[in-house]
Amino acid sequence: MVVTNTSAPEDYRFTETGLGLSLIKKSRANTNPIRHFHPWWEILYIVSGERTFFYANRTLHIQAGTFLCIAPGVLHRAVNPADEVCRLYNVYFSDCGAATPSFDYRMKMILPLLEKMEPCTVLSPQNQDKVTDFFAHMGQEIIRLQNNPSAPEFADFAEGNSDLPVRPETQAMVWGLLCEMLVTVMRQGRGNNVALQPTEAMKGHLAPVIDFLNTNYSKPLSLEEVAKKFGITASHLSRTFKIATRFGFVEYINNLRVSESCRLLRTTKLSVLEIALKCGFGSVTQFGRCFRELTGVSPRAYRKNIE
């Protein structure tokens, strides 16, 4: 278990919990992630403050009470201005990869809920309080695990063996809270949700450009050709694209291509060359370089790690 900012109890980062999930709490979140997609599920909840956030194909201005359910492989990132700060919770979990070693009963329980979740929900004041309490209770359970290493169910952690599972009652408590939280958000109902509006920078030509890139990233694309298609200059597109998304034009396309290649590496037996060409890379060398820059490992190592 890894804990940061232990001198400030309002902040923590629990990663190696032995529970199959990671939980993070930040009281002043204003930084951008290094990587912008991942093979696990992410729940992001804004408790207070505000955040500008790029998700899938739009940059949104989200405020307190916003609940985001981010599916594996979806491109996203915070694009906060320097003066924009929020208090938030993150929880990460997966049926493969770093957060959970294998598909197990926990994911079987909540996956049907996740697959029906709206990606972005603005909660009612009553549900905001409930969701904040769910996260706080999850944190308390993990802190209890940290502070009681001599307890029978935590003996493995005292010995530094975080690969062995915590006792079933602790697993059930934490995952039960997560499950109840997801049900609470779902029961609010689509009819009662509040539509989020894209930021001003996303209006005009950028929305259709991003939609075009999201569906054509596997084809050869250049800034000049795309700008011409939408009747704007390449310099204007480059500048406005960066302002709205915090991605460079080529960087954004490479993120889409690598994200799709991760999915294919996880779910198919296609060769690395086949995946590179299918995702729009001109060569295995280019694919490998971009893949390593965005994931930290080679395509072959990525596939080996999830087998």
Side-chain angles (χ1 to χ4, degrees):
M1 183 183 311
V2 177
V3 184
T4 60
N5 296 330
T6 53
S7 61
E10 68 273 15
D11 289 357
Y12 50 68
R13 176 183 292 268
F14 300 111
T15 54
E16 298 173 8
T17 62
L19 294 166
L21 55 77
S22 300
L23 180 64
I24 297 169
K25 180 183 179 184
K26 294 181 181 179
S27 59
R28 291 185 58 81
N30 57 9
T31 57
N32 296 331
I34 297 174
R35 297 170 187 162
H36 314 299
F37 61 87
H38 37 66
W40 48 83
W41 289 87
E42 175 184 355
I43 300 297
L44 168 63
Y45 179 60
I46 308 298
V47 180
S48 61
E50 55 188 341
R51 167 161 278 205
T52 303
F53 198 79
F54 181 85
Y55 178 82
N57 62 351
R58 295 291 183 271
T59 300
L60 304 170
H61 185 70
I62 56 179
Q63 297 180 320
T66 303
F67 187 96
L68 289 167
C69 181
I70 302 170
V74 174
L75 189 60
H76 62 280
R77 74 182 303 179
V79 293
N80 298 48
D83 60 345
E84 199 171 86
V85 178
C86 66
R87 179 180 169 219
L88 60 77
Y89 284 100
N90 283 111
V91 61
Y92 301 93
F93 47 90
S94 175
D95 56 0
C96 66
T100 304
S102 61
F103 193 88
D104 58 24
Y105 72 93
R106 298 167 299 196
M107 285 302 298
K108 288 180 181 178
M109 177 177 63
I110 69 168
L111 193 57
L113 300 176
L114 295 168
E115 291 174 342
K116 294 181 179 180
M117 289 284 295
E118 289 287 335
C120 188
T121 303
V122 180
L123 300 179
S124 66
Q126 181 182 11
N127 283 338
Q128 288 179 35
D129 292 339
K130 288 182 179 179
V131 167
T132 301
D133 287 345
F134 286 135
F135 275 115
H137 196 170
M138 291 170 65
Q140 290 167 5
E141 286 295 315
I142 297 175
I143 290 171
R144 187 176 71 88
L145 184 153
Q146 176 205 7
N147 292 337
N148 295 274
S150 61
E153 64 263 46
F154 306 142
D156 295 324
F157 288 89
E159 297 170 5
N161 187 357
S162 61
D163 292 330
L164 295 178
V166 180
R167 283 179 60 175
E169 56 266 39
T170 306
Q171 296 273 0
M173 175 63 79
V174 173
W175 281 81
L177 289 165
L178 177 59
C179 186
E180 188 174 357
M181 177 169 62
L182 294 176
V183 171
T184 297
V185 175
M186 289 184 67
R187 283 182 173 174
Q188 177 169 296
R190 296 184 179 182
N192 297 323
N193 196 14
V194 178
L196 293 178
Q197 297 299 320
T199 60
E200 285 296 322
M202 281 297 299
K203 296 179 179 178
H205 64 272
L206 276 183
V209 167
I210 290 175
D211 288 341
F212 175 78
L213 297 181
N214 282 9
T215 56
N216 292 276
Y217 60 84
S218 62
K219 302 174 183 177
L221 295 171
S222 71
L223 176 65
E224 291 73 18
E225 290 171 344
V226 173
K228 183 178 180 180
K229 176 179 176 62
F230 288 91
I232 53 180
T233 66
S235 60
H236 180 68
L237 175 58
S238 177
R239 179 174 56 83
T240 55
F241 195 96
K242 183 75 171 182
I243 290 172
T245 69
R246 298 299 194 274
F247 289 102
F249 181 84
V250 173
E251 178 192 12
Y252 182 77
I253 295 172
N254 284 339
N255 269 271
L256 293 175
R257 289 171 174 171
V258 171
S259 177
E260 174 63 7
S261 70
C262 287
R263 188 188 70 80
L264 294 174
L265 287 166
R266 293 196 308 271
T267 61
T268 74
K269 295 187 180 298
L270 293 174
S271 69
V272 170
L273 174 59
E274 289 173 318
I275 291 174
L277 297 178
K278 189 176 182 67
C279 292
F281 291 101
S283 67
V284 172
T285 301
Q286 181 195 20
F287 175 42
R289 182 179 67 254
C290 291
F291 193 96
R292 187 181 291 275
E293 286 176 356
L294 293 174
T295 68
V297 297
S298 69
R300 288 184 174 85
Y302 179 90
R303 173 172 270 173
K304 183 178 180 180
N305 288 341
I306 62 175
E307 288 177 347

